[in-house]
Amino acid sequence: MRKAAHKIKVALLQVHSIAGLVLALLLALIALTGSVMSFEDEIVEHLNGGIIQVAPRQAPPLMPDELVARLEAAQVAGKVASVTLSSDPSAAVRVRFGRDEQGARRTSLYVDPYDARVLGSPRGEEFFATVRRLHRWLLIPGDAKGWGRQITGIAALGLIVMLVSGLVLRWPRRARSVKMWLKPNLGLSGRGLHRSLHAVIGTWVLPIYLVMTLTGLWYSFDWYKDGVVWLLSRPHVAAAKMQPKQPRAPGRSEPAQPVGFDRAWSTFQQEEGGRFSRALLTLPAGPGTVIRIRSWGKDSTLDTTRDEFRIDAITGQLVSAERYADKTFGEKIIANVLDIHRGAILGWPGKLAFMIAAALMPLFSVTGLLLYLLRRRLRRSAQLPLARLVPGE
């Protein structure tokens, strides 16, 4: 029995070591970029405090189409993709742009809602956009459609293997002792200290790493995403979300229609009244006429706790309304995947804990590599005397 257990642990150590050696640098990169983005919203808001607010006035704010038209007349706008409007009379409007023919996207603008005066581009936007692309897709061309998405997913699967194998390898004889699990032995030095730090701190962050990887896989593999949707949502919701988009038949094109924001915005205001704090209006990416509106309530503290409406921009008819409050518990988990992934679901203490855990990933890369090299050195020193023996001795 002991021999079998020993063989299993030896095999697990090999798997753990090989996975660590292959993925150490990649996991450290992904974790560090995630750590940098932990307080992105707070940093960007602090950097742009002077352009996200305006002096409120008695005059009503411009309708979104008039605002966009003035920007285009002043030749400061490209193809507008979305606008973010607020119920706060002192909040600036944020305008985002679509990609040009080369696939590049210009930075967004903050605009005065009363006269369409450009207040400036948000500082930090390009930096965090690059960090996000590095975190999700490793800056590999194609972004979400490139190979980077699958590579980060494979790294997440490898981390799960390392977490499970590491937990089994360090399972102490006194498993009920909290001290054995959670207290590192700082009195050691060399290999003993490296092993203690690697194992004990790894135990501290193991639950966080599991949450990060299980939610991170959502963004890497469609089969994983579809499986989670099927498991956690109601059947008709799962069927709607997993239904593939029907490609347009070649040679057929829908008649071009001027699509603006005003009718959809008016319908949304009639539907919501004063219950929203801000709303993101996004034009259709294709030839359709349905505008998507994401809105956040005044008591919303998370980016993912939002309602979503789809409104026809030509007729102003409400096509669908998906309210966060009407979701089941499982569907709320799906809606909050991003905030669970970064710890924001637990407020700023959760984001801080997840940031620290992510920043500690290089520690495991370094200590793991040192332990591997020291094991190889010990094996060589143990085999060296035998190699020097001559036949007959």
Side-chain angles (χ1 to χ4, degrees), residues 6 92 118 127 130 163 166 175 192 210 213 223 253 267 283 286 316 325 353-354 368:
H6 177 71
V118 175
F127 169 77
T130 302
L163 292 174
L210 275 177
T213 51
W223 58 263
S253 59
T267 300
L283 290 174
F354 276 54

Side-chain angles (χ1 to χ4, degrees), residues 62 66-83 93-98 105-112 115-122:
L62 298 173
E66 174 65 19
L67 187 144
V68 171
R70 292 194 184 187
L71 288 177
E72 292 175 346
Q75 297 183 347
V76 296
K79 181 182 178 181
V80 174
S82 66
V83 295
V93 175
R94 188 170 186 176
V95 180
R96 290 183 172 89
F97 302 96
R105 188 196 303 270
R106 63 166 295 177
T107 57
S108 60
L109 294 175
Y110 279 103
V111 180
D112 191 312
D115 57 13
R117 179 172 55 91
V118 175
L119 303 175
S121 298

Side-chain angles (χ1 to χ4, degrees), residues 33-55:
T33 50
S35 178
V36 169
M37 293 189 295
S38 294
F39 287 92
E40 175 185 354
D41 295 339
E42 291 82 357
I43 294 172
V44 171
E45 183 177 351
H46 176 74
L47 290 175
N48 299 284
I51 63 173
I52 62 176
Q53 298 289 327
V54 298

Side-chain angles (χ1 to χ4, degrees), residues 114-297:
Y114 298 98
D115 57 13
R117 179 172 55 91
V118 175
L119 303 175
S121 298
R123 288 185 291 176
E125 181 180 70
E126 290 188 3
F127 169 77
F128 282 111
T130 302
V131 172
R132 188 174 300 106
R133 290 177 58 234
L134 181 59
H135 178 75
R136 292 182 176 179
W137 309 308
L138 307 176
L139 296 181
I140 293 176
D143 292 344
K145 297 180 181 179
W147 286 101
R149 182 171 174 240
Q150 283 73 33
I151 293 173
T152 55
I154 292 171
L157 291 174
L159 180 57
I160 293 176
V161 171
M162 286 191 287
L163 292 174
V164 174
S165 60
L167 180 63
V168 175
L169 288 170
R170 82 142 308 194
W171 197 274
R173 293 180 180 178
R174 291 181 293 164
R176 296 183 181 180
S177 172
V178 176
K179 181 179 178 180
M180 291 291 294
W181 280 106
L182 302 178
K183 184 179 179 182
N185 190 346
L186 301 179
L188 298 174
S189 61
R191 181 170 179 265
L193 178 61
H194 299 153
R195 183 176 182 179
S196 180
L197 291 175
H198 191 87
V200 175
I201 298 179
T203 304
W204 293 352
V205 299
L206 186 145
I208 294 177
Y209 284 172
L210 275 177
V211 172
M212 286 179 174
T213 51
L214 292 175
T215 52
L217 288 170
W218 172 275
Y219 300 100
S220 292
F221 299 117
D222 290 334
W223 58 263
Y224 183 88
K225 183 176 182 178
D226 292 343
V228 173
V229 170
W230 174 83
L231 182 65
L232 295 180
S233 62
R234 291 166 289 184
H236 69 278
V237 175
K241 287 184 178 294
M242 291 187 286
Q243 185 176 4
K245 293 182 180 179
Q246 297 295 330
R248 285 186 302 158
R252 295 180 60 185
S253 59
E254 298 182 17
Q257 299 186 62
V259 177
F261 292 103
D262 283 1
R263 288 196 175 181
W265 177 237
S266 297
T267 300
F268 169 78
Q269 288 182 307
Q270 294 173 4
E271 185 75 18
E272 283 294 276
R275 292 191 296 270
F276 75 100
S277 63
R278 60 189 173 96
L280 171 63
L281 286 68
T282 304
L283 290 174
T289 62
V290 175
I291 287 180
R292 183 183 66 186
I293 300 181
R294 289 177 173 175
S295 71
W296 290 263

Side-chain angles (χ1 to χ4, degrees), residues 337-376:
V337 164
L338 179 58
D339 281 327
I340 295 173
H341 179 71
R342 62 196 187 110
I345 197 76
L346 302 175
W348 73 262
K351 290 205 288 188
L352 180 62
F354 276 54
M355 182 189 74
I356 294 173
L360 285 172
M361 183 63 77
L363 171 69
F364 302 108
S365 301
V366 172
T367 55
L369 179 60
L370 291 174
L371 288 171
Y372 173 78
L373 294 175
L374 289 171
R375 279 199 306 272
R376 287 183 60 87

